Amino acid sequence: MTPSNTPLRPQERYHPRVDANWMVKVHLGERTVLVKARDLSMAGLFLHGHPPDTTQQLSLTLPLPGIGDITATCNVVRRAAHGVALEFADLDWDHFLLLARYLHPRLP
């Protein structure tokens, strides 16, 4: 177990990621934009998109193939040249369980 004062290296992430090569609906006020997801975990996801620099939260709908849709608000936690890392901010229990049901059989 890693001590709490030691930062995790990427290969030791607390929530493992799975490939998510599908489109996510990002809700921007009255508009909805489709953005490709790179990966997904129980904590969040990475999108190949660039919201404005002032945007700190995004509302989105994730279509989990074979499971259903999850709608959530996400916080922008990191910006990179090829997209943004998002962390789930308000995932309710029903959506949390749907996400777990999707991820579980795909984890290493």
Side-chain angles (χ1 to χ4, degrees), residues 34-92:
L34 291 175
V35 180
K36 187 171 242 179
R38 181 183 75 189
D39 56 41
L40 176 68
S41 76
M42 289 300 294
L45 68 156
F46 189 92
L47 292 181
H48 290 290
H50 296 281
D53 288 341
T54 57
T55 302
Q56 297 302 313
Q57 277 195 335
L58 293 172
S59 176
L60 48 86
T61 301
L62 293 95
L64 300 176
I67 303 291
D69 291 352
I70 291 177
T71 301
T73 300
C74 295
N75 295 322
V76 176
V77 292
R78 184 172 41 89
R79 294 173 188 273
H82 49 284
V84 291
L86 304 174
E87 180 178 65
F88 294 120
D90 70 346
L91 205 57
D92 67 31

